[in-house]
Amino acid sequence: MSDPDLPLLSNPRSERVRQVAALGRRAARQRSGTFLVEGPQAVRELLGYAAGSARGLYLTAEAGERHRELVDAAVAAGRPVHRCTEPVLAAMADTGSPQGVLAVAERVDVPLARALDAVGEDGFAVVLTHVRDPGNAGTVLRGASAFGADAVLVSDASVDVHNPKVVRSTVGALFHLPVSVGTPVGELLAACRERGIRLLAADGSGETVLPDAGLTGRHAWVMGNEAWGLPPEVSSGCDARVRIPITRAESLNLAMAATVCLHASAAARSS
Amino acid sequence: MSDPDLPLLSNPRSERVRQVAALGRRAARQRSGTFLVEGPQAVRELLGYAAGSARGLYLTAEAGERHRELVDAAVAAGRPVHRCTEPVLAAMADTGSPQGVLAVAERVDVPLARALDAVGEDGFAVVLTHVRDPGNAGTVLRGASAFGADAVLVSDASVDVHNPKVVRSTVGALFHLPVSVGTPVGELLAACRERGIRLLAADGSGETVLPDAGLTGRHAWVMGNEAWGLPPEVSSGCDARVRIPITRAESLNLAMAATVCLHASAAARSS
């Protein structure tokens, strides 16, 4: 990062810094069509999977030394790289510790039809609705990618997947598979049904146990709020309500339930 | 909570309040042999599964109205109930929002031999070592209970399971199954081996994939640090190193990996 041609941003109160920092807020993300990608791992995935959508990379001198490969990848993709002072990076970041690296990227969601096109004949998708906690939503996205889901469909009544806390929890998975956002859940279910995608509600009081769920065909897991689950009309509108057999007086949190269901779909596909 | 016979604690600086608050620190927990149980759900599990170890229940007037069943359960078990002002409860609590209820309980861990005795012929256990994040440790305990593990063995090089953040993350599961703590991991593995318990290291780079892990016999999942996994000598000392098949450039966090492994053990036992 001793490159003399990299501009140095040193004023934490500059217009540019304020514009980047504003992306911590949903309204600014919607207005600009961009969002914050924080920390070396998420930025690496952005540059590896969606370099064309990177608007700019921001690094402190120290982070630039430590993550030379990120600078190289951004330069190779023709994306602007900005060197910043620590106070500038701290002022731009939403999280406490982006480890000296962040990027601004164009939003990554795709139209619903394109996400549905990605669901193969033996494929599966995830429908998220009424999920409010960014960490839970991010973990479900991470699991969807890890277990090979073809798409994630997020209803309008859910946390913004471009929220910096969601992006951080996905650890880059957001860039790995098609994600559609903003459709009312009723329309999401109807669109899945039209495409012959079987709808499985993840429901702790469901009548079908997971081993009987029949995961060999094209299907979508429908998952709801971390505290109270799916709205009854959503659950009853699915083809089956599936529960994970558990013992004792326990419950599973959303991320745990999603992990088990998505792993089961992956195992059914590979068997 | 209008019972005139319940003493009202109103001085947040009293000796008793300071003693309870001190249980947020490990040294005070070790010295007193007690720990904090915060929030109605964890307190309900304490009173339901281990009422004899409850030293006292503390509630605000409002929480006492809302959770009359907790007061009744404590009284039925002959445990002291204390009415507190909001400032007193806030001063005692480690978490920001225990919803007006907390209890002090005697530590719940059992000797290693007793935990191992609980592992049935077709049973399974969890060995945790070098786990540092309270939320992760608590989620693994919650999963262990939900999926019917017979015992959890926590090495000395791990977060304190009586840490209020662990207790909160277990959502009461800590009271549902035998947990042993404080043994060096090498001794834990040797003790399992002596009892004929097969040791399976959960290891993202393991040579055995989960479907080939052979989960029908008595076994223990050995799980390590959230960032770097198991120490190599621990992993190589196990009977198999098991990885969860995942796609793309993903990884799973500790809680996700544990959830999948424990669910697989539960499914193997019930099939």
Side-chain angles (χ1 to χ4, degrees):
Chain A
M1 287 300 285
S2 50
D3 316 45
D5 55 333
L6 288 181
L8 175 69
L9 305 179
S10 59
N11 178 5
R13 285 184 206 84
S14 72
E15 180 58 21
R16 180 200 290 265
V17 171
R18 284 194 289 115
Q19 278 177 358
V20 173
L23 299 177
R25 297 193 304 275
R26 187 168 191 154
R29 292 194 295 273
Q30 288 185 318
R31 200 165 48 233
S32 65
T34 64
F35 70 111
L36 276 175
V37 181
E38 300 180 306
Q41 187 162 0
V43 168
R44 186 173 300 118
E45 301 305 307
L46 164 68
L47 294 172
Y49 285 78
S53 74
R55 286 272 184 93
L57 178 63
Y58 299 84
L59 308 98
T60 61
E62 196 198 351
E65 293 290 345
R66 202 175 328 116
H67 301 290
R68 188 74 224 180
E69 81 287 359
L70 297 179
V71 177
D72 292 344
V75 169
R79 314 323 299 174
V81 176
H82 308 277
R83 196 176 141 202
C84 315
T85 61
E86 295 272 2
V88 161
L89 203 98
M92 291 191 297
D94 182 72
T95 140
S97 58
Q99 298 168 257
V101 189
L102 62 77
V104 172
E106 290 160 23
R107 50 190 299 160
V108 294
D109 58 297
V110 301
L112 176 58
R114 209 172 113 204
L116 287 168
D117 286 345
V119 185
E121 270 315 307
D122 64 343
F124 63 98
V126 177
V127 175
L128 279 185
T129 189
H130 295 78
V131 174
R132 297 287 156 76
D133 178 69
N136 272 315
T139 303
V140 174
L141 271 157
R142 183 178 180 178
S145 179
F147 294 121
D150 296 309
V152 176
L153 318 176
V154 183
S155 81
D156 58 349
S158 303
V159 65
D160 178 10
V161 298
H162 294 101
N163 175 314
K165 292 185 185 65
V166 176
V167 177
R168 191 161 64 244
S169 300
T170 70
V171 201
L174 186 59
F175 306 112
H176 296 174
L177 79 176
V179 177
S180 106
V181 303
T183 310
V185 62
E187 290 178 34
L188 284 181
L189 301 191
C192 286
R193 208 173 278 113
E194 250 172 46
R195 303 259 186 152
I197 296 174
R198 197 156 152 261
L199 295 168
L200 304 174
D203 182 336
S205 56
E207 74 283 355
T208 304
V209 290
L210 181 60
D212 299 337
L215 302 176
T216 46
R218 204 177 211 208
H219 61 278
W221 283 105
V222 184
M223 303 189 181
N225 182 269
E226 37 277 281
W228 46 265
L230 287 167
E233 69 276 15
V234 172
S235 191
S236 64
C238 290
D239 298 299
R241 281 139 298 281
V242 180
R243 74 172 193 276
I244 298 166
I246 54 176
T247 62
R248 302 192 179 98
E250 296 299 342
S251 62
L252 300 175
N253 66 30
L254 171 64
M256 295 167 86
T259 298
V260 169
C261 293
L262 296 172
H263 172 260
S265 291
R269 177 144 73 170
S270 70
S271 67
Chain B
M1 287 299 290
S2 51
D3 314 45
D5 56 334
L6 288 181
L8 174 67
L9 305 180
S10 60
N11 177 6
R13 285 184 208 82
S14 73
E15 180 58 22
R16 180 199 291 265
V17 171
R18 283 194 290 116
Q19 279 175 359
V20 174
L23 298 177
R25 297 193 304 275
R26 187 168 191 156
R29 292 194 295 275
Q30 287 185 319
R31 200 166 48 234
S32 66
T34 63
F35 70 112
L36 276 175
V37 180
E38 301 179 305
Q41 188 163 359
V43 169
R44 186 172 299 117
E45 301 305 308
L46 165 68
L47 294 171
Y49 285 78
S53 74
R55 286 274 184 91
L57 178 63
Y58 298 84
L59 308 97
T60 61
E62 195 198 352
E65 294 289 345
R66 202 175 329 116
H67 301 289
R68 187 73 223 179
E69 79 287 0
L70 298 180
V71 178
D72 293 345
V75 170
R79 316 321 302 175
V81 176
H82 307 276
R83 194 177 142 202
C84 314
T85 61
E86 295 272 1
V88 162
L89 203 97
M92 291 191 297
D94 181 74
T95 141
S97 57
Q99 298 167 258
V101 189
L102 63 78
V104 172
E106 289 159 26
R107 49 189 302 158
V108 293
D109 57 296
V110 302
L112 176 57
R114 208 172 114 204
L116 286 168
D117 286 345
V119 184
E121 270 314 308
D122 65 341
F124 63 97
V126 177
V127 174
L128 277 185
T129 188
H130 294 79
V131 174
R132 298 287 157 77
D133 179 70
N136 272 314
T139 304
V140 174
L141 272 157
R142 182 178 181 179
S145 178
F147 294 121
D150 296 309
V152 177
L153 319 176
V154 183
S155 82
D156 59 349
S158 302
V159 65
D160 178 11
V161 299
H162 295 100
N163 174 315
K165 293 184 183 65
V166 176
V167 177
R168 190 161 67 244
S169 299
T170 71
V171 201
L174 186 60
F175 306 112
H176 296 172
L177 80 176
V179 177
S180 106
V181 303
T183 310
V185 63
E187 290 178 35
L188 285 181
L189 301 192
C192 286
R193 209 173 278 117
E194 249 172 48
R195 303 259 185 152
I197 297 174
R198 199 158 153 259
L199 295 167
L200 305 173
D203 181 337
S205 56
E207 75 282 354
T208 303
V209 291
L210 181 59
D212 299 337
L215 302 176
T216 46
R218 204 179 211 206
H219 61 277
W221 284 104
V222 184
M223 303 188 181
N225 182 269
E226 37 278 284
W228 47 264
L230 287 167
E233 69 278 13
V234 173
S235 191
S236 63
C238 290
D239 298 299
R241 282 139 298 281
V242 180
R243 74 171 194 276
I244 299 165
I246 54 176
T247 61
R248 301 191 182 99
E250 296 300 344
S251 61
L252 301 174
N253 65 31
L254 172 65
M256 296 167 86
T259 299
V260 169
C261 293
L262 297 172
H263 172 261
S265 290
R269 177 144 72 171
S270 71
S271 68

